[in-house]
Amino acid sequence: VPLVQPMYFSFPSERHAYHASHQFLLGSELMAAPYLLQADTFTRLSRQAVWFPPCGTWFDLFDGTQFKGGQWQALYGSLDEMPLFAKAGAIIPLMPHDSTSETLASDSLDLVVFPGENPGVELYDASSGPPSLTFVLHRGFDSRITVLTIDQSSAAPKRSFTVIFRSITKPTAFVVEADSTQVVAPSELEYDIETNTAVVGPIAVPAGAAVVS
């Protein structure tokens, strides 16, 4: 399966997918819709009509803005911007901003997590064999609780994770369930009220650990 796919690859029965020629799917979790039209001479902004597939809510990757699936939405931005959208339940592994490594062998990773459920995202590491990391996102026994399970293979290098939860209300605490239970107090959390983003970490996560918010 190619990493970059036209919309009709995943939505062949949706007629709108065949008209959304200026956007594409990027892996299993993201959709990109770059600005391509000449910028307006007055606003200096380009316009892009984005089709959001009817498979639940979509989120702006950077600020968590929500878009209802099954509709077109006109967006405006500069030509040097790249709008990226995550589907509900998306888990996006990223290298830390200050990382100088060009491989997955880094000892730390950022995880950007969006509300919803995800049966599993596998991350492959050539140094330890596929798959070396598996992430599963689901709701706990209470609909207000999100459970992110991180399973590292024994062959993978031990890593710490910074988990970035987008579009959630401020949690009272995070709980890391592993060999021993660790509670992250509210004073240790970063929370951006404008984007409803909570950040916890970096935390050392052994195999089979769960981060609960």
Side-chain angles (χ1 to χ4, degrees), residues 116-131:
E117 300 214 3
N118 195 321
V121 174
E122 294 181 339
L123 187 62
Y124 290 79
D125 183 352
S127 65
S128 57

Side-chain angles (χ1 to χ4, degrees), residues 4-7 20 22-26 30-34 82:
V4 177
Q5 303 177 30
M7 301 303 296
H22 292 165
Q23 63 190 80
F24 53 89
L25 298 172
L26 186 60
L30 294 174
M31 178 177 70
M82 169 64 84

Side-chain angles (χ1 to χ4, degrees), residues 4-36:
V4 177
Q5 303 177 30
M7 301 303 296
Y8 55 79
F9 267 37
S10 291
F11 305 96
S13 62
E14 295 288 338
R15 62 182 179 86
H16 295 288
Y18 298 88
H19 297 284
S21 58
H22 292 165
Q23 63 190 80
F24 53 89
L25 298 172
L26 186 60
S28 63
E29 310 294 287
L30 294 174
M31 178 177 70
Y35 293 113
L36 301 174

Side-chain angles (χ1 to χ4, degrees), residues 47 55 59 83 95 121 198:
R47 180 181 184 275
C55 56
F59 299 87
M95 299 292 288
V121 174

